[in-house]
Amino acid sequence: MSRGARQRPRRRWGFWPELPRSERDRGQIVEFTGMLPFILLVFVAVWEAFLVGWSMSYTTHSANEGARVAAVGGDQEEVREAARKRVVGSFADDENFKVKYPVGAQCDGVGPRDPDCGYVRVSIKPPLVFEGLNLPITVSHRARVVYEGKG
C-alpha cells in the first residue's frame, strides 16, 4: 500500500455494528452489580465455616487441658480455669463458654448417673460474622480424664 492510500475499514463478522466502548461495557457493570450480593453471601458463608472450625479447635484444646488438670486432682474450678486459659476473645465470654466436669453424687452411682462422668466437656457458641452475635448452635468436645495413680 502506498503512503497516501486510505485503508479500508475492517469488517466485523456478524450482523451487529461496532459499538462504542462505553456501550459495550454497560452489560458487564450490570452483571457485576447483580452478582455482588451472591459474592458477598459466599464470602460470609466461608467466614462462618472458618469461625465454626476455629470454635472446634478451641473446644478440643480446652477440653484436653481441663482433662489434664482433672487427672492430677484438680477440682471443678481449677478445671474450668485451665480450660478457659486456652480460649481467647469473645469465645471465652461467660455466655459463650461452658465447662462441665461432673463429680460427686452425679458419678458415685447414687441416683441417675451423668453420661459425662470421667470426662471434661467444653461447649462454645461460635460468633455470627462479628463479635456480640452468636450462631444458634453449640460446638462441644469432651475429653476423657485419665486419673493418675498415687505414686
Side-chain angles (χ1 to χ4, degrees), residues 43-151:
F43 176 74
V44 168
V46 168
W47 181 248
E48 275 309 311
F50 171 74
L51 289 176
V52 170
W54 202 2
S55 299
M56 288 177 170
S57 177
Y58 274 153
T59 57
T60 303
H61 293 312
S62 61
N64 288 338
E65 187 65 29
R68 280 188 206 102
V69 171
V72 294
D75 63 352
Q76 286 182 331
E77 193 57 39
E78 290 173 340
V79 169
R80 186 172 289 114
E81 286 306 311
R84 189 178 298 270
K85 284 180 185 177
R86 295 294 238 168
V87 180
V88 297
S90 67
F91 292 96
D93 291 346
D94 286 335
E95 65 268 1
N96 299 340
F97 184 80
K98 304 285 185 232
V99 177
K100 183 179 178 186
Y101 174 51
V103 292
Q106 303 174 55
C107 298
D108 290 340
V110 180
R113 182 175 167 81
D114 192 324
D116 284 331
C117 285
Y119 291 91
V120 173
R121 179 180 293 276
V122 174
S123 301
I124 294 177
K125 288 186 174 183
L128 178 66
V129 182
F130 302 110
E131 284 188 37
L133 300 172
N134 293 328
L135 282 174
I137 62 170
T138 301
V139 176
S140 67
H141 181 80
R142 72 181 197 168
R144 178 94 172 128
V145 178
V146 180
Y147 295 100
E148 300 289 324
K150 302 273 183 189

